Amino acid sequence: MSAGRLTTHVLDTASGRPASGVRVRLYARAGDSRTLLVETLTNQDGRCDGPLLSGESFAVGRYELIFDVAAYFRRNGIALPEPAFLDDVPICFGIADAGAHYHVPLLISPYGYSTYRGS
């Protein structure tokens, strides 16, 4: 069994707060196809309640996280154009070590985002 895990969190850099209620979808990618593995919402701390992947489901491979940020901003009273500059934010990444912790945070504002491999 793998000791690795995948986690994420979302920070709203425009308000300086964790982004709660952001819909997060995790897909496994193989060539041009992808398979939905997890769909969840961030909690009050901007985190998911548990790892997105862990144990035997955590495997070497290519993945994609999609964060529904336009809906989050609109729900929080931010006026966005139609269509929004950022709607769904995809992050494509690879897991090369099934024994490691991969943390993929998202820092968002209505007009920009950044990510990195965290700890």
Side-chain angles (χ1 to χ4, degrees), residues 38-68:
V38 176
E39 183 170 346
T40 190
L41 295 173
T42 57
N43 61 24
Q44 293 293 69
D45 195 33
R47 299 177 182 276
C48 298
D49 289 331
L52 297 171
L53 291 176
S54 63
E56 292 181 13
S57 67
F58 187 78
V60 169
R62 295 174 55 226
Y63 296 89
E64 182 175 12
L65 279 167
I66 298 181
F67 300 86
D68 189 356

Side-chain angles (χ1 to χ4, degrees), residues 51-109:
L52 297 171
L53 291 176
S54 63
E56 292 181 13
S57 67
F58 187 78
V60 169
R62 295 174 55 226
Y63 296 89
E64 182 175 12
L65 279 167
I66 298 181
F67 300 86
D68 189 356
V69 300
Y72 162 79
F73 284 118
R74 287 187 174 114
R75 226 179 16 263
N76 285 281
I78 305 298
L80 299 176
E82 189 57 50
F85 180 70
L86 295 176
D87 188 1
D88 289 339
V89 171
I91 300 174
C92 299
F93 63 97
I95 291 175
D97 181 356
H101 178 197
Y102 283 73
H103 183 68
V104 182
L106 178 67
L107 288 70
I108 58 169
S109 76

Side-chain angles (χ1 to χ4, degrees), residues 11-34:
L11 298 174
D12 179 344
T13 58
S15 70
R17 297 186 317 241
S20 65
V22 175
R23 183 172 73 142
V24 178
R25 289 165 283 159
L26 173 67
Y27 293 88
R29 296 179 48 178
D32 291 336
S33 68
R34 62 185 189 173

